[in-house]
Amino acid sequence: MGCDGGTIPKRHELVKGPKKVEKVDKNAELAAKWKYCALSQEKLRRPIVSCDLGRLYNKDAIIEYLLDKFADRPNAEAVTHIRGIKDIKELNLTDNPEWEGERRNAKGDRYEDIHCGMFICPVVGLEMNGKHRFCYLQTCGCVFSDRALKEVKTEICHKCGDPFKDEDIVVLNGTKEEVEKLREKMEERRAKAKTKKSKKNKAAETVSTPSESKDDTQSPPVDVAERSSLQNGGESSQS
């Protein structure tokens, strides 16, 4: 049981074990979600918007997609649920004072902390870098950490003062389970809006049809001049 040249094969050469699963770098995955647009994969820059599923986009990338939905894009599956400009919300973000952007490491000779977020929570000061849960309000677009919304419970936005409800809170870059819940919520809300619109159209049709029938049954108004001419014509014929 030898190979050519009298060599004896080893066990790992004869028995093939399971393939090693390639591990995804969590730091790189977090940076891709919280610092790059989910559609264009470019760095996030203001104005930044989000959808009903909590993904982050550059607004200009979404506008380009809506203008030409049939163009070939590498991440088009991330925006198939966006039908128009009403399906996105521009975010009201709070800048991180410690974030210096690309100016800090322009030469490439300084250490760059990839965990340093561009934005922070305006209430508790947590950085929006993927380590903490962040949410935004669909009513006003203000962004807060989940801890701030739980610790300081209120029905008024901490930043702008607009009222909101619990169903207006959308988790940013949530887990698969959270995204599925948000998708169900989105589909339910769209179905309600569709039925409401159809009922409104039916009500408008029922209101318009009786008025039209009444107009048809009524005889057309006769002008005063026509009446006088008819009377004069009648008198002349009698004479």
Side-chain angles (χ1 to χ4, degrees):
M1 188 179 169
C3 297
D4 294 340
T7 58
I8 299 174
K10 296 180 181 179
R11 185 178 181 280
H12 71 274
E13 295 176 355
L14 296 174
V15 181
K16 292 183 179 181
K19 293 182 179 180
K20 292 183 179 180
V21 180
E22 295 182 359
K23 294 182 179 180
V24 180
D25 189 2
K26 291 184 178 181
N27 294 330
E29 189 177 4
L30 287 176
K33 282 185 177 181
W34 294 93
K35 292 186 178 181
Y36 293 87
C37 173
L39 176 60
S40 63
Q41 295 299 311
E42 297 178 354
K43 285 190 176 182
L44 289 171
R45 59 185 181 275
R46 292 179 184 272
I48 299 171
V49 298
S50 183
C51 61
D52 293 332
L53 304 183
R55 293 168 183 158
L56 298 174
Y57 312 93
N58 288 327
K59 190 174 182 179
D60 55 354
I62 295 295
I63 292 173
E64 289 178 4
Y65 163 75
L66 294 174
L67 291 174
D68 188 8
K69 292 184 179 181
F70 299 100
D72 293 333
R73 292 180 177 87
N75 299 308
E77 67 277 0
V79 291
T80 51
H81 60 286
I82 298 177
R83 304 165 301 176
I85 202 71
K86 292 183 179 179
D87 292 336
I88 58 174
K89 186 70 177 180
E90 187 171 339
L91 300 181
N92 186 7
L93 296 157
T94 305
D95 293 326
N96 185 4
E98 296 182 2
W99 171 259
E100 298 181 7
E102 299 177 354
R103 296 175 298 174
R104 180 178 179 182
N105 198 18
K107 296 181 181 180
D109 56 351
R110 297 181 64 180
Y111 171 73
E112 184 178 358
D113 187 6
I114 61 174
H115 298 297
C116 183
M118 295 184 289
F119 310 104
I120 61 172
C121 173
V123 180
V124 295
L126 294 176
E127 292 186 1
M128 199 174 80
N129 54 10
K131 290 186 176 181
H132 312 283
R133 278 167 54 97
F134 269 74
C135 313
Y136 82 92
L137 306 179
Q138 287 184 324
T139 51
C140 57
C142 295
V143 179
F144 303 96
S145 63
D146 187 58
R147 185 187 299 181
L149 294 175
K150 287 181 178 179
E151 291 181 356
V152 188
K153 292 185 178 180
T154 179
E155 296 180 354
I156 299 175
C157 176
H158 299 297
K159 195 169 184 180
C160 65
D162 289 349
F164 70 93
K165 299 179 181 179
D166 291 338
E167 54 265 25
D168 298 326
I169 301 174
V170 179
V171 180
L172 290 171
N173 289 328
T175 60
K176 289 183 179 179
E177 292 79 11
E178 290 171 339
V179 172
E180 286 301 319
K181 288 181 181 179
L182 290 173
R183 190 182 294 276
E184 292 175 2
K185 234 165 89 173
M186 177 189 69
E187 292 175 354
E188 184 180 354
R189 186 168 57 252
R190 290 181 179 180
K192 286 181 180 179
K194 193 174 182 180
T195 53
K196 188 177 179 181
K197 189 176 180 181
S198 62
K199 287 180 180 179
K200 194 174 180 181
N201 293 335
K202 287 181 181 179
E205 289 176 0
T206 53
V207 169
S208 61
T209 48
S211 62
E212 290 175 359
S213 60
K214 287 180 181 179
D215 293 339
D216 294 338
T217 55
Q218 291 177 355
S219 58
V222 181
D223 193 12
V224 178
E226 292 180 358
R227 286 181 181 177
S228 61
S229 61
L230 288 171
Q231 290 176 358
N232 294 331
E235 292 174 357
S236 61
S237 60
Q238 288 176 2
S239 60

